[in-house]
Amino acid sequence: MSDVPTAGSRITVDAYINETAQDSVAADIKSVQSALSQNANDIEDAEFLLNSRSMDYRNQRASFES
């Protein structure tokens, strides 16, 4: 087999990839990552607000009980 010439270039994984579909999927991934980042920021803001309001409640309750 070593004396048989190759019939052109070697086939790689890249030869099976649909470039248009790959670009579309990459855009979808970027969009989802952006939404995920925004959701993480919203959760962080909500947690801060919850902690702040909980502390205010505890302070008001302690003041009321005194």
Side-chain angles (χ1 to χ4, degrees):
M1 288 299 290
S2 63
D3 62 342
V4 176
T6 60
S9 63
R10 300 190 107 192
I11 297 174
T12 63
V13 173
D14 294 333
Y16 294 99
I17 295 175
N18 180 341
E19 295 291 329
T20 306
Q22 182 182 17
D23 293 342
S24 175
V25 169
D28 290 345
I29 289 172
K30 188 173 183 177
S31 173
V32 169
Q33 286 175 333
S34 176
L36 180 62
S37 176
Q38 181 61 44
N39 287 345
N41 290 338
D42 291 345
I43 289 171
E44 185 178 325
D45 291 345
E47 287 175 341
F48 176 78
L49 186 61
L50 175 64
N51 290 335
S52 175
R53 299 253 169 102
S54 294
M55 185 178 289
D56 287 345
Y57 170 77
R58 286 190 299 270
N59 290 339
Q60 291 293 327
R61 184 168 177 110
S63 176
F64 178 75
E65 289 177 354
S66 294

